[in-house]
Amino acid sequence: MYERFWQQMGDITTIVISGWQSMSYFSDVKNLCWFLEPEFAKQIIRLHKIVGNAVTDNYYIVVGTGSTQLFQAALYALSPPNASEPMSVVSAAPFYSSYPSVTDFLKSGLYKWAGDANNFNKDGPYIELVTSPNNPDGSIRQPVVNRSGENLVHDFAYYWPQYTPISSPADHDLMLFTVSKATGHAGMRLGWALVKDKEVAKKMTSFIELNTIGVSKDSQQRAAKILQVISDSYEPVGNPKQSGSFFHFSHSMMEERWKALRSAAKQSGLFSLPEFPSSFCNFLGQAFGSQPAFAWLKCEGGIEDCGNFLKKHKILARNGKHFGASPEYVRVSMLDRDESFNLFTKRLSSLHLSQSKDHEEESP
């Protein structure tokens, strides 16, 4: 979805990396995270201060190959090395579908997936993953277990003003962010963690050092330029260019897409979508309801497997069972290119009750 904006920006985000640059493993040997490029760190802090979505003072920044690597690094850092059994990892359903598979992929003796945080009642230390706004349903989340022994990881991939009102700067022990959802540059494979505890930051850095011997310098330099261009358009405050700047553009796009999707669902009569309360966004200076990067779509009309039903009508979506929820739900991306999104809403609006009954008759 963001491709069009960056095309319109022309060469302003272009950087040139000569063949002799970025050859060393090291970026800043004096930094705890020695493979973090100083300019990337500078632009991360600058953007957070401008948007107001996270506190950065007295935090360590750890860079990773996407927030997925940082998530794994966090699990490693928060799990005691000599425990008698693996640390339980939980998240409230519906949870991000990759959490269970990534947690258990290596069958680590340090931690294991323990399911829905709403049903977790085991004694002892645990890790709770709090994604807010949540993937897949866009809800604003708080921890749900809330007892002694908690270790919280806050995933703020979507806490940006195109998706949800920025009400206050997040200030938690360990917070994850990713370039892919902030600016659309998923191919850079970059994320960052803001970590309060020095020892946790050290262990996360050690994990990444052993896993990939650092993170691409080229990607960090490119990302630094992208973040700089975004921040430049918002400074000084009141800059007349900001109405056409990235967050204003992307907020407007998300607003238009959610209106189109709600209209298509209403026209069909077969689907329902979450409703989000309106709140004031300190960054944009206006009130609005969340407009998430994913739609948590529910099939009505007695359709038990929404993913299978949509697939038969040439719409691909991720089944709710992958998120610890009912297969009556699916997750649909709101961030595809215009032509794909428009085709999706056109096909969705054309589905009606008669097709639902046909689907029921075909089901075994």
Side-chain angles (χ1 to χ4, degrees), residues 115-127:
D116 186 353
N118 291 298
N119 303 324
F120 182 71
N121 55 15
K122 185 179 179 180
D123 292 331
Y126 64 93
I127 297 172

Side-chain angles (χ1 to χ4, degrees), residues 23-297:
M23 293 182 69
S24 170
Y25 288 118
F26 300 95
S27 294
D28 183 0
V29 294
K30 296 180 181 179
N31 196 333
L32 182 149
C33 183
W34 52 265
F35 43 82
L36 171 62
E37 286 286 288
E39 184 62 21
F40 185 43
K42 174 185 173 182
Q43 295 303 331
I44 287 171
I45 293 169
R46 183 186 178 203
L47 187 63
H48 279 310
K49 287 186 182 300
I50 289 172
V51 175
N53 63 340
V55 173
T56 56
D57 291 342
N58 301 315
Y59 277 87
Y60 297 93
I61 300 176
V62 181
V63 64
T65 304
S67 60
T68 300
Q69 186 184 40
L70 290 165
F71 163 59
Q72 293 172 290
L75 296 184
Y76 169 77
L78 295 173
S79 300
N82 301 311
S84 59
E85 60 179 345
M87 177 90 88
S88 296
V89 180
V90 298
S91 187
F95 42 71
Y96 176 41
S97 59
S98 289
Y99 283 158
S101 54
V102 172
T103 301
D104 288 343
F105 186 64
L106 295 178
K107 296 180 171 55
S108 171
L110 296 176
Y111 47 81
K112 67 176 182 179
W113 179 250
D116 186 353
N118 291 298
N119 303 324
F120 182 71
N121 55 15
K122 185 179 179 180
D123 292 331
Y126 64 93
I127 297 172
E128 182 175 353
L129 311 171
V130 183
T131 306
S132 187
N134 190 44
N135 176 357
D137 66 355
S139 61
I140 302 302
R141 288 287 186 87
Q142 300 290 337
V144 301
V145 179
N146 294 317
R147 64 168 187 257
S148 62
E150 73 175 6
N151 295 272
L152 301 177
V153 177
H154 283 81
D155 187 341
F156 285 124
Y158 304 96
Y159 192 43
W160 295 99
Q162 65 266 51
Y163 306 121
T164 194
I166 305 301
S167 56
S168 62
D171 183 12
H172 301 282
D173 289 344
L174 202 165
M175 304 182 285
L176 304 181
F177 294 88
T178 173
V179 169
S180 64
K181 303 309 184 295
T183 73
H185 292 85
M188 284 187 189
R189 305 309 310 127
L190 272 186
W192 66 91
L194 299 178
V195 187
K196 272 187 181 177
D197 186 271
K198 185 176 183 178
E199 293 307 311
V200 172
K202 277 184 177 179
K203 290 189 72 175
M204 290 180 68
T205 299
S206 295
F207 177 91
I208 295 168
E209 179 181 342
L210 291 170
N211 189 225
T212 52
I213 320 181
V215 176
S216 168
K217 287 181 167 188
D218 292 0
S219 286
Q220 291 185 67
Q221 290 171 29
R222 186 175 175 221
K225 184 64 174 178
I226 295 291
L227 299 191
Q228 178 197 329
V229 167
I230 294 174
S231 294
D232 283 350
S233 66
Y234 289 101
E235 289 188 332
V237 175
N239 185 338
K241 294 181 180 179
Q242 72 180 34
S243 61
S245 298
F246 176 74
F247 289 122
H248 283 74
F249 169 90
S250 52
H251 175 272
S252 178
M253 286 283 291
M254 293 303 298
E255 184 178 40
E256 289 174 11
R257 288 191 170 197
W258 270 95
K259 284 180 180 177
L261 178 59
R262 291 191 186 280
S263 175
K266 184 177 180 180
Q267 187 175 339
S268 166
L270 271 183
F271 307 98
S272 60
L273 290 160
E275 296 291 338
F276 303 102
S278 179
S279 60
F280 190 78
C281 177
N282 294 327
F283 175 73
L284 292 176
Q286 66 184 74
F288 64 95
S290 291
Q291 37 199 42
F294 295 101
W296 190 231
L297 192 71

Side-chain angles (χ1 to χ4, degrees), residues 331-357:
R331 188 195 72 172
V332 182
S333 174
M334 298 291 288
L335 303 181
D336 210 333
R337 291 184 176 94
D338 289 342
E339 56 268 30
S340 297
F341 181 79
N342 293 338
L343 183 59
F344 158 59
T345 53
K346 181 180 179 181
R347 288 180 178 173
L348 194 76
S349 65
S350 68
L351 300 178
H352 301 291
L353 188 60
S354 59
Q355 287 150 310
S356 165
K357 292 178 179 178

